[in-house]
Amino acid sequence: MFARAEETGRNLLEDTLAQGDSPVETKHRFSKSKGRRVAAVASALSAIGLATFFCSGVGAATVLVNGQIRYQRMDGFGSSVRMFDDPHFFDNFNPSTGRAATVMTTAQQNQVLDKLYTDLKLTRVRPASPDTAVGFGIEPVNDNSDPNATDLSKFNFAWKNLDAHVDYIDRARTRGASTFFLSPLNRETWMGTTSANDAAEYSEWLLAQVKRSADLGVRLPFLSVANEPSYTRNAMSGEFLRDVIKILGPRLRSEGFDTKFVTTDEVRASDAAAKAKIILADPEARLFVGALATHLYDESVTNVGQMKALAQQYGLPLWMTEFSMFAMDTAGLPQTPIAWASLMHDLISTYDVSAVDYLWASFGEWEGNATALISLNNTGATYDGLTLNKTYYITGQFSRFVEPGAQRIKAESNDAAVQTTAFVSDSELVLVATNASFLSKEITFDLSGISAGQFRRVRTSPSENWVTLPSVAVNGSRFTITLPPNSIETLIATVPEPTAAALLAMGSLVLLRRSMAMTLSSGQPKGYATDQRSIRLPSMCCKPTQGRTRRSSSKSSPMFP
């Protein structure tokens, strides 16, 4: 009966999708009405509790948490961003200003930033820049024929080309953001991608952006050569990406920057892995790579396993840098908030992903609610305030409690519908439990290798958003909670500081030893990012873990440069 209820819910959603456009052809061509319809159905399913309409009851599950088996360190949670006055934002245009007709005041913008970086505690910013077209762009015509001699008088960094993005980063940074990187949507229309000179010119273009950002007070810790280099508007081969890194990496160092490359920030994991292999196989290029990154469009999430294997081989962190609830059907997943929670769990627990970035932090009329954590509302040129979408609260069940530097530990459930991810930091143990079924679940947690007295509790469900629940005490090593259908709960305990510190220190020691061992076997430079495989303490045995499109996005318009 329960399986039939789940199928009924899926069929309802699929039938609704079928009423509008045909399935999404590409991520950048989508019907806003369809996006709203999908979001409305997802919201309705959550609001009325469709699951409990079909069935009721309580199931039981056990989750074993082992503080001695450790995995990747987390690098945080974030999103891509556009400028508040970008015409794409509200789907309107003021020809006298060349910007959005809807104007937000500084105070209104600050409210959005506070919601994202103070309340939600996002720590990562990925600007959508620049939009290039004939006559527009940072370097609309080649400054000169020498890529080693930059004529900055020929560069235009104004507004959304770069300067406004740097200002956004700075405003987010004052609210706690710590990781930010450029990932250019397009290259200039005159640029090629085949010759050595093409790679040198593109490197000069990127270097100019890094230097300009620093001049404005933001030194970029990371840089992506390009956003989605298999997408037609900015297609680049793995060899071209490698050559840019080999040219630009040394130039960055000579200019005093320690910026590392995020590679390859691709549309889909299989393409990301294919191109990353080419880059990482080159010892010189590999020196400058700081993280591996992929998006999740158009194929099964299981292909992220290819990126996980590369991350383990080269001792690099793995990031998922763009996806949204709207696009989950392209990966064969339901377009529901609880499915987004399950996906976050799977990325972190199955594929050792250390950073998860949603598609858009906030967006207006141009995008459907399912692509942004915060929807910004307007009536014509009048700004009407914001709406915190359910994915905002789902994401916050992780981002508000799992800080950068926290390390994942083993959490194993005997019920596939009950997914738990566990983390330890300097003084806290954090458990994030998701019940993706149509049944309430009585979940018994059994702690091993780490102790705690009681857990604070915060829950999001179809009818709740970040609700604080009564604390639960640990009896010996065990405690039990009841988790409603389609809900996610975060449990936070203060752990004895010597225990947490010792575990983290031991984990660091093991990771360092593994990194040094890999230096000898693979040529990876010493000191580079940690191996992502599990670590058992104190025996220091290691075992691999086991192994879940398209977004709407920036449609083009000649009216919106």
Side-chain angles (χ1 to χ4, degrees):
M1 175 180 179
F2 304 136
R4 191 179 305 119
E6 285 192 56
E7 183 178 0
T8 302
R10 285 195 301 269
N11 289 342
L12 174 60
L13 190 59
E14 290 169 1
D15 290 344
T16 302
L17 290 172
Q19 291 174 14
D21 303 331
S22 59
V24 180
E25 295 177 356
T26 74
K27 68 175 180 175
H28 298 286
R29 307 287 192 271
F30 94 110
S31 162
K32 287 188 296 177
S33 62
K34 175 182 173 184
R36 294 193 191 97
R37 203 161 45 243
V38 172
V41 170
S43 177
L45 291 178
S46 296
I48 67 174
L50 181 63
T52 57
F53 177 81
F54 283 110
C55 55
S56 61
V58 178
T62 300
V63 176
L64 304 178
V65 179
N66 191 332
Q68 291 186 315
I69 300 179
R70 314 180 70 75
Y71 304 88
Q72 78 274 22
R73 291 189 186 276
M74 298 302 295
D75 291 325
F77 302 85
S79 68
S80 302
V81 299
R82 275 192 182 272
M83 299 301 93
F84 294 114
D85 56 356
D86 187 331
H88 295 88
F89 214 73
F90 289 104
D91 199 14
N92 56 28
F93 182 67
N94 183 338
S96 66
T97 64
R99 302 191 181 189
T102 301
V103 178
M104 296 176 65
T105 66
T106 299
Q108 290 166 341
Q109 294 177 17
N110 286 337
Q111 182 190 28
V112 176
L113 295 173
D114 288 342
K115 292 292 184 185
L116 290 167
Y117 304 103
T118 303
D119 298 347
L120 189 58
K121 295 188 177 180
L122 298 184
T123 59
R124 297 167 53 82
V125 182
R126 181 175 173 267
S129 71
D131 284 339
T132 60
V134 176
F136 296 96
I138 291 175
E139 189 185 3
V141 296
N142 192 357
D143 65 328
N144 56 46
S145 60
D146 184 357
N148 294 308
T150 304
D151 181 358
L152 289 177
S153 69
K154 301 292 180 63
F155 285 70
N156 176 18
F157 299 109
W159 187 35
K160 65 177 184 175
N161 277 352
L162 182 64
D163 289 357
H165 292 288
V166 176
D167 178 67
Y168 185 105
I169 290 172
D170 188 53
R171 294 167 74 183
R173 186 172 58 176
T174 64
R175 292 166 168 84
S178 55
T179 298
F180 23 87
F181 64 99
L182 303 179
S183 185
L185 293 174
N186 304 297
R187 60 183 179 272
E188 306 293 350
T189 55
W190 57 267
M191 288 181 171
T193 59
T194 56
S195 69
N197 188 68
D198 290 339
E201 289 286 359
Y202 192 84
S203 298
E204 178 192 32
W205 184 70
L206 289 176
L207 178 61
Q209 295 177 61
V210 173
K211 294 173 69 175
R212 174 66 174 183
S213 298
D215 289 342
L216 296 177
V218 174
R219 295 181 70 87
L220 297 171
F222 297 98
L223 175 68
S224 173
V225 174
N227 174 62
E228 299 182 342
S230 68
Y231 192 59
T232 53
R233 69 180 178 185
N234 205 24
M236 297 177 180
S237 68
E239 289 78 8
F240 183 80
L241 296 171
R242 176 200 63 201
D243 292 346
V244 169
I245 292 172
K246 290 175 67 174
I247 293 170
L248 183 53
R251 290 193 68 179
L252 285 167
R253 298 299 178 270
S254 69
E255 296 273 359
F257 294 99
D258 57 3
T259 306
K260 296 179 182 178
F261 286 93
V262 177
T263 188
T264 54
D265 215 17
E266 259 290 12
V267 177
R268 56 191 70 84
S270 59
D271 290 336
K275 290 176 180 176
K277 286 179 182 178
I278 294 171
I279 296 166
L280 296 172
D282 187 294
E284 185 179 350
R286 191 167 66 237
L287 287 170
F288 303 102
V289 175
L292 301 183
T294 187
H295 306 168
L296 302 178
Y297 302 110
D298 299 340
E299 65 182 17
S300 170
V301 177
T302 58
N303 285 331
V304 178
Q306 299 175 42
M307 291 293 282
K308 175 183 176 180
L310 288 173
Q312 291 180 341
Q313 180 180 354
Y314 291 100
L316 291 166
L318 174 58
W319 297 348
M320 196 292 291
T321 48
E322 184 187 308
F323 205 50
S324 74
M325 189 180 79
F326 176 84
M328 288 176 66
D329 64 329
T330 68
L333 304 174
Q335 294 169 301
T336 61
I338 198 64
W340 172 248
S342 292
L343 178 59
M344 292 183 74
H345 163 84
D346 287 346
L347 289 170
I348 295 168
S349 289
T350 302
Y351 301 106
D352 290 353
V353 168
S354 62
V356 177
D357 299 334
Y358 204 73
L359 173 50
W360 295 119
S362 62
F363 227 100
E365 180 73 12
W366 188 279
E367 297 278 354
N369 291 345
T371 69
L373 298 171
I374 301 177
S375 293
L376 304 183
N377 311 308
N378 69 293
T379 304
T382 302
Y383 174 68
D384 294 330
L386 57 83
T387 300
L388 304 180
N389 296 319
K390 185 61 81 170
T391 49
Y392 174 93
Y393 293 103
I394 294 287
T395 299
Q397 295 286 152
F398 285 89
S399 63
R400 294 170 68 221
F401 307 102
V402 182
E403 298 181 350
Q407 190 167 15
R408 184 170 71 87
I409 61 176
K410 184 173 184 178
E412 186 174 36
S413 172
N414 67 350
D415 184 335
V418 175
Q419 302 166 307
T420 300
T421 319
F423 309 88
V424 65
S425 62
D426 289 342
S427 59
E428 286 188 333
L429 170 63
V430 177
L431 311 177
V432 184
T434 300
N435 177 10
S437 77
F438 290 158
L439 283 174
S440 289
K441 296 286 185 177
E442 187 176 86
I443 307 171
T444 297
F445 294 87
D446 193 349
L447 307 181
S448 173
I450 191 167
S451 60
Q454 67 176 8
F455 284 86
R456 295 181 288 117
R457 302 167 61 195
V458 178
R459 187 169 70 204
T460 294
S461 71
S463 60
E464 300 166 311
N465 294 318
W466 293 352
V467 171
T468 299
L469 303 170
S471 297
V472 59
V474 179
N475 184 6
S477 65
R478 298 163 69 90
F479 66 97
T480 300
I481 66 168
T482 298
L483 193 55
N486 297 309
S487 62
I488 177 171
E489 182 170 322
T490 306
L491 303 104
I492 312 99
T494 300
V495 295
E497 201 160 326
T499 301
L503 286 170
L504 285 169
M506 186 66 76
S508 298
L509 176 60
V510 175
L511 292 171
L512 176 61
R513 288 178 177 174
R514 296 179 62 80
S515 179
M516 293 175 64
M518 288 195 308
T519 300
L520 299 176
S521 63
S522 67
Q524 180 69 15
K526 294 181 181 179
Y528 264 62
T530 62
D531 184 277
Q532 304 297 310
R533 285 171 287 189
S534 65
I535 303 166
R536 181 183 296 272
L537 304 175
S539 64
M540 301 186 187
C541 297
C542 302
K543 68 175 182 178
T545 57
Q546 303 280 331
R548 169 180 207 302
T549 319
R550 254 300 0 173
R551 97 200 135 174
S552 70
S553 184
S554 317
K555 58 184 181 183
S556 59
S557 168
M559 181 174 72
F560 296 158

